[in-house]
Coordinates of all heavy atoms in Angstrom, one line a residue:
S101 N 116.4 92.9 72.6 CA 115.8 92.4 73.9 C 114.4 92.5 73.6 O 113.8 93.5 73.1 CB 116.2 93.2 74.9 OG 115.9 94.6 74.8
L103 N 110.9 92.1 75.6 CA 110.4 92.1 76.9 C 109.0 91.5 76.9 O 108.2 91.6 75.9 CB 110.2 93.6 77.4 CG 111.5 94.3 78.0 CD1 112.5 94.4 76.8 CD2 111.2 95.7 78.6
I106 N 104.7 94.1 79.3 CA 104.8 95.5 79.7 C 103.6 96.2 79.0 O 103.3 95.9 77.9 CB 106.2 96.1 79.4 CG1 106.5 96.2 77.9 CG2 107.3 95.5 80.2 CD1 107.7 97.2 77.6
V114 N 106.2 100.9 81.0 CA 107.6 101.2 80.7 C 107.6 102.1 79.5 O 107.4 101.7 78.4 CB 108.4 99.9 80.4 CG1 109.9 100.3 80.0 CG2 108.4 99.1 81.7
P115 N 107.8 103.4 79.6 CA 107.8 104.3 78.5 C 109.1 104.0 77.6 O 110.2 103.7 78.2 CB 108.0 105.7 79.1 CG 107.5 105.6 80.5 CD 107.9 104.2 81.0
M116 N 109.0 103.9 76.3 CA 110.0 103.5 75.5 C 111.2 104.3 75.5 O 112.4 103.9 75.4 CB 109.5 103.4 74.0 CG 108.5 102.2 73.8 SD 109.2 100.6 74.3 CE 108.5 100.4 75.9
A117 N 111.0 105.7 75.8 CA 112.2 106.7 75.9 C 113.0 106.3 77.0 O 114.3 106.3 77.0 CB 111.6 108.1 75.9
E118 N 112.3 105.9 78.2 CA 113.1 105.5 79.4 C 113.8 104.2 79.1 O 114.9 104.0 79.7 CB 112.2 105.5 80.6 CG 111.7 107.0 81.0 CD 110.9 106.8 82.2 OE1 111.2 106.0 83.3 OE2 109.8 107.5 82.3
L119 N 113.1 103.3 78.4 CA 113.8 101.9 78.2 C 115.0 102.2 77.3 O 116.0 101.5 77.5 CB 112.7 101.1 77.4 CG 113.2 99.6 77.3 CD1 113.6 98.9 78.6 CD2 112.1 98.8 76.6
R120 N 114.9 103.1 76.3 CA 116.1 103.3 75.5 C 117.1 103.9 76.3 O 118.3 103.6 76.2 CB 115.7 104.3 74.3 CG 114.9 103.6 73.3 CD 114.7 104.5 72.0 NE 114.1 105.8 72.3 CZ 112.9 106.1 72.3 NH1 112.0 105.2 72.1 NH2 112.3 107.3 72.5
D121 N 116.8 105.0 77.2 CA 117.8 105.6 78.1 C 118.5 104.5 79.0 O 119.7 104.5 79.2 CB 117.1 106.6 78.9 CG 116.8 107.9 78.2 OD1 117.2 108.0 77.0 OD2 116.0 108.6 78.8
L122 N 117.7 103.5 79.4 CA 118.2 102.5 80.3 C 119.3 101.6 79.5 O 120.4 101.4 80.1 CB 117.1 101.6 80.8 CG 117.4 100.5 81.8 CD1 117.6 101.0 83.1 CD2 116.4 99.4 81.8
H123 N 119.0 101.3 78.4 CA 119.9 100.6 77.5 C 121.1 101.3 77.3 O 122.3 100.7 77.4 CB 119.3 100.2 76.2 CG 118.5 98.8 76.3 ND1 119.1 97.6 76.0 CD2 117.3 98.6 76.5 CE1 118.1 96.7 76.1 NE2 116.9 97.3 76.4
E124 N 121.1 102.6 77.0 CA 122.3 103.4 76.9 C 123.2 103.6 78.1 O 124.3 103.5 78.1 CB 121.8 104.8 76.4 CG 121.4 104.7 74.9 CD 120.8 106.1 74.4 OE1 120.7 107.0 75.1 OE2 120.5 106.1 73.2
V131 N 120.8 102.5 70.0 CA 119.5 101.9 70.6 C 118.3 102.4 70.0 O 118.1 103.6 69.7 CB 119.5 102.3 72.2 CG1 118.2 101.6 72.8 CG2 120.7 101.7 72.9
S133 N 114.0 101.5 69.7 CA 112.9 100.7 70.3 C 111.7 100.7 69.2 O 111.7 101.6 68.4 CB 112.3 101.3 71.6 OG 111.8 102.6 71.4
S137 N 105.3 97.3 73.2 CA 105.4 96.0 73.8 C 106.9 95.6 74.2 O 107.0 94.6 74.8 CB 104.9 94.9 72.9 OG 105.6 94.9 71.6
G138 N 107.8 96.5 73.9 CA 109.1 96.3 74.5 C 110.1 95.5 73.5 O 110.4 94.4 73.9
N139 N 110.4 96.0 72.4 CA 111.4 95.5 71.6 C 112.5 96.4 71.4 O 112.2 97.6 70.9 CB 110.7 95.2 70.2 CG 109.4 94.5 70.2 OD1 109.4 93.3 70.5 ND2 108.3 95.2 70.0
V140 N 113.7 96.1 71.8 CA 114.8 97.1 71.7 C 115.9 96.4 70.9 O 116.4 95.4 71.3 CB 115.3 97.5 73.1 CG1 116.4 98.6 73.1 CG2 114.1 98.0 73.9
I156 N 119.7 93.2 81.9 CA 118.6 94.1 81.6 C 117.4 94.0 82.5 O 116.8 95.0 83.0 CB 118.1 93.9 80.1 CG1 119.3 94.4 79.2 CG2 116.9 94.6 79.8 CD1 119.2 93.9 77.7
I160 N 115.9 96.9 84.7 CA 114.4 97.4 84.7 C 113.9 97.3 86.1 O 113.0 98.2 86.4 CB 113.7 96.4 83.6 CG1 114.2 96.7 82.2 CG2 112.2 96.6 83.9 CD1 113.7 95.7 81.3
R163 N 114.9 100.3 88.0 CA 114.4 101.6 87.5 C 112.9 101.7 87.6 O 112.4 102.7 88.1 CB 114.8 101.8 86.1 CG 114.3 103.1 85.5 CD 115.5 103.9 85.0 NE 114.9 105.1 84.2 CZ 115.5 105.6 83.3 NH1 116.7 105.0 82.8 NH2 115.1 106.7 82.6
F164 N 112.2 100.7 87.4 CA 110.6 100.7 87.3 C 110.0 100.0 88.6 O 108.8 100.2 88.7 CB 110.2 100.1 86.1 CG 110.6 100.9 84.9 CD1 111.7 100.3 84.0 CD2 110.1 102.1 84.5 CE1 112.1 101.1 82.9 CE2 110.6 102.8 83.4 CZ 111.6 102.3 82.6

Side-chain angles (χ1 to χ4, degrees):
S101 60
L103 283 64
I106 65 164
V114 177
M116 291 302 98
E118 290 184 44
L119 185 58
R120 288 189 304 272
D121 290 346
L122 182 82
H123 274 271
E124 289 174 355
V131 180
S133 62
S137 60
N139 308 289
V140 183
I156 294 167
I160 289 170
R163 177 116 175 221
F164 298 102

